[in-house]
Amino acid sequence: MVVDVSGNSLTHATVQSLRELALSVPKGHFLGTEKDLLARFHISRPTFRQAVHILESERLVAKVRGLNGGLFSRSPDLEGVVASAATYLRSHTTTLGDILGAVDSTMADAVGLAARCEDPELRARLAAMIDDFKAGEMLGQSVADFRQDELRAVHHICEMCGNPAVDLMVRVLYQVGITAFGEIFEGREALMQARRTSRVQMLRAILSGDHDMAVELTRRGGADARNQIAEPLLNWPLSSVSLKGAQD
């Protein structure tokens, strides 16, 4: 039996136990009724309900009422996890420089893995995306449209990389960093133009399966973009801007 010393430790321990239970079974698995789980973990109803509330917010469990009700396991959706992680980073005074530094290595990993992807459907979609980007490479764009193209490319690379951990990290970093696109690119068409060109080159390297070139182009593009950003902006806390539009 867990002893509640701090006032929070028992709830924390219950959350941990229920989390492990939910993760150990398939999605939709019946974990037990409230009565069963209270007896199993030797806890009070208020403690149990606090723990369940936390796990519901994590999308790990679902509480069903009624005759056949009880607690069921869930599987967190990617969008919810990304949004929560992005909120955490922004609440801890993460700066644009912090994000760009992390993006450099993580994105290089994702691109390198994507270059080894042999899935015919994903490769066909990549080829079509390259043709689309190439057709508009020399055309002017609003920052909103530019941002949408950037996310489109990044999300497809994440799909191709085939590594859930890398996929998640890249999506989280871009979810936060994308909020600064207005400050970085507004009124700087030449910078957007350079990014559009480097993006096409990098995607072509992925499609051709040239791992080393794809990684090199990714690192070079990241360094070039960072060198174009003023030092004060790199130290800018991203908690000061809204996530509105970052998920578009």
Side-chain angles (χ1 to χ4, degrees), residues 187-196:
R188 305 184 71 184
E189 177 55 38
L191 185 57
M192 285 194 287
Q193 173 63 59
R195 177 58 190 165
R196 284 193 294 268

Side-chain angles (χ1 to χ4, degrees), residues 92-166:
H92 284 69
T93 61
T94 304
T95 67
L96 179 58
D98 293 332
I99 294 297
L100 292 179
V103 163
D104 282 350
S105 58
T106 310
M107 193 61 187
D109 289 340
V111 165
L113 291 168
R116 296 192 172 105
C117 176
E118 298 180 355
D119 184 293
E121 191 271 335
L122 290 175
R123 290 178 57 79
R125 283 167 50 197
L126 177 61
M129 184 183 298
I130 291 171
D131 289 342
D132 187 31
F133 287 163
K134 183 61 181 176
E137 180 183 344
M138 306 306 292
L139 303 177
Q141 259 187 325
S142 67
V143 172
D145 288 342
F146 174 79
R147 179 177 60 197
Q148 188 65 30
D149 283 350
E150 187 76 4
L151 285 177
R152 181 182 167 198
V154 168
H155 289 170
H156 193 71
I157 289 169
C158 285
E159 282 190 75
M160 293 186 72
C161 84
N163 183 315
V166 174

Side-chain angles (χ1 to χ4, degrees), residues 191-245:
L191 185 57
M192 285 194 287
Q193 173 63 59
R195 177 58 190 165
R196 284 193 294 268
T197 297
S198 66
R199 185 199 299 141
V200 168
Q201 292 173 342
M202 179 263 291
L203 293 176
R204 281 177 168 168
I206 292 174
L207 186 62
S208 68
D210 192 335
H211 170 278
D212 292 344
M213 180 58 69
V215 171
E216 172 60 25
L217 288 170
T218 300
R219 294 190 184 280
R220 190 187 306 166
D224 289 345
R226 192 167 54 255
N227 289 337
Q228 296 293 322
I229 300 174
E231 189 67 28
L233 185 55
L234 289 175
N235 296 322
W236 181 41
L238 293 172
S239 57
S240 63
V241 296
S242 170
L243 278 175
K244 182 179 180 181

Side-chain angles (χ1 to χ4, degrees), residues 14 19-22 25 41-43 53-54 57 59 84 89-90 131 142-144 152 171-172 186 202 223 239 242:
T14 304
R19 183 184 288 125
E20 291 304 314
L21 178 60
V25 296
F41 294 111
H42 307 287
I43 52 176
H53 179 71
I54 292 170
S57 70
R59 297 177 173 85
S84 295
L89 288 175
R90 294 178 69 241
D131 289 342
S142 67
V143 172
R152 181 182 167 198
R171 290 176 190 265
V172 168
E186 192 66 56
M202 179 263 291
S239 57
S242 170

